[in-house]
Amino acid sequence: MHSVGVLALDGVVPFELGIPARIFNAAHDDEGHPLYSVTTCSLDGGPVRAEADYDLAVSHDASLLAAVDTVVVPPSHRLGPIREEGRLPGPLRDALAALRPGTRVVAICTGTYVLAAAGLLDGRRATTHWREADRLQRMFTGTRIDPDVLYVDDGDVLTSAGVAAGIDLCLHIVRRDHGSRVANEVARSCVVPPWRDGGQAQYIKRPVPGPATGSTAATRAWAVEHLAEPLTVSGLAAHAGMSVRTFSRRFRDEAGTTPGQWLARQRVDLARHFLETTDWPVDVVAHRAGFGTGASLRQHLHGAIGVGPQAYRRTFRPRPAV
């Protein structure tokens, strides 16, 4: 079982603090066994003052972090010298220095300041809440801060934007660890969307259409049910009853990405589902997912997750019981 340690600092934001436990504890294998164990700690094992009007009691101190496989740092509104000077207080510096080699480290929202101050983001790409991105970049010039994405996966170090982007990041980790089938079940259990790509914009200027304007939502729902068909932007626009120009603009306003990028992402996710749950040859999976050819599927899957269809199937296809 993969162990996760969540570090609650003074001023921790309760919503984001609860995300890792809620997402990871909902992940189970085919026999119903939990795939993760999640434990929360503070630096000294004592109560932590939350950003809200209450304290949080925890049962572990930060020595826990040296024994877990993944460390998660949620945001805090009381980062003090970490945010103001880029300096870690001694106890926090010592706790992070004691992490075992190979420990996966995750920051949600302003938790990225903690990783940056610890030197864990030197030479890496990362993100944080868009309001903090410029300040973080000025303070830590050796890190490339991307303010326009929901999360960044840099291998053993992952960072996310604020609030709900922490859910997206934790679901991404489950998907990376155990495949889309398990991640989709977690999302269904938690009643959240199963997939928002990390490259999607953090904020959309006009997320809710006005009463006199149309929406692309119905067309997106229709497209998900017809991914095997040769969908085009002009065809989607016609389905929505809009010009291509109007449809493309409203689509990006509502979905945070272009129609073509969105279609490719939906098809990759569907192909991953087929690879995990069927014995279909790669060419059949490609056809059913709308890629047309196995070569196209290989190109898109490798571009999205870094592996081809056969390697993905070997990794995430449930093994038959012996």
Side-chain angles (χ1 to χ4, degrees):
M1 186 186 301
H2 188 100
S3 57
V4 179
V6 182
L7 176 60
L9 299 172
D10 276 331
V12 68
V13 183
F15 181 89
E16 286 92 323
L17 174 65
I19 288 172
R22 190 66 186 89
I23 297 298
F24 294 128
N25 283 340
H28 297 83
D29 64 17
D30 290 338
E31 286 73 43
H33 301 133
L35 295 169
Y36 301 89
S37 64
V38 182
T39 308
T40 303
C41 68
S42 65
L43 285 176
D44 60 3
V48 174
R49 183 67 180 176
E51 178 262 345
D53 60 340
Y54 49 80
D55 292 342
L56 300 168
V58 297
S59 301
H60 302 273
D61 63 31
S63 64
L64 166 83
L65 304 181
V68 298
D69 303 308
T70 293
V71 170
V72 182
V73 183
S76 165
H77 285 184
R78 298 183 186 179
L79 290 176
I82 304 172
R83 182 177 179 274
E84 300 301 323
E85 306 168 25
R87 175 176 58 84
L88 293 180
L92 179 54
R93 182 185 63 245
D94 294 344
L96 295 178
L99 300 184
R100 296 177 300 170
T103 300
R104 181 166 59 191
V105 186
V106 178
I108 299 174
C109 193
T110 58
T112 302
Y113 276 102
V114 175
L115 304 194
L120 297 173
L121 298 181
D122 293 348
R124 293 180 181 261
R125 176 171 167 259
T127 193
T128 188
H129 193 288
W130 59 268
R131 285 198 180 100
E132 294 288 335
D134 286 346
R135 180 186 184 89
L136 189 67
Q137 184 65 85
R138 290 194 303 269
M139 184 171 290
F140 300 100
T141 57
T143 302
R144 184 161 64 92
I145 304 299
D146 189 340
D148 296 323
V149 298
L150 296 178
Y151 58 82
V152 171
D153 181 341
D154 199 36
D156 59 341
V157 178
L158 301 93
T159 53
S160 84
V163 199
I167 298 175
D168 299 311
L169 178 56
C170 289
L171 280 173
H172 168 76
I173 292 170
V174 174
R175 182 175 287 105
R176 197 178 88 170
D177 290 350
H178 300 287
S180 63
R181 182 179 58 86
V182 173
N184 289 345
E185 285 301 317
V186 170
R188 180 179 301 175
S189 171
C190 297
V191 200
V192 296
W195 179 273
R196 285 203 301 168
D197 184 72
Q200 181 171 322
Q202 282 195 31
Y203 60 97
I204 304 165
K205 292 183 179 179
R206 294 184 299 277
V208 181
T213 66
S215 170
T216 65
T219 296
R220 279 180 276 136
W222 174 84
V224 167
E225 299 299 322
H226 296 81
L227 291 174
E229 301 175 14
L231 302 175
T232 63
V233 176
S234 60
L236 295 175
H239 181 275
M242 304 178 191
S243 69
V244 170
R245 182 177 179 180
T246 298
F247 176 80
S248 298
R249 184 182 70 251
R250 289 183 182 168
F251 193 103
R252 189 170 188 102
D253 287 345
E254 295 174 16
T257 188
T258 68
Q261 292 168 335
W262 181 87
L263 276 174
R265 188 168 67 241
Q266 300 301 317
R267 285 171 166 156
V268 165
D269 201 32
L270 182 60
R272 291 167 74 169
H273 171 74
F274 289 151
L275 290 168
E276 294 177 26
T277 60
T278 75
D279 293 317
W280 296 342
V282 169
D283 285 343
V284 174
V285 170
H287 175 73
R288 296 289 184 92
F291 287 112
T293 67
S296 179
L297 170 59
R298 291 183 188 94
Q299 179 182 358
H300 282 86
L301 192 64
H302 202 280
I305 59 176
V307 299
Q310 298 292 8
Y312 185 85
R313 175 171 269 165
R314 285 194 300 269
T315 302
F316 294 113
R317 179 77 187 274
R319 293 172 175 80
V322 178

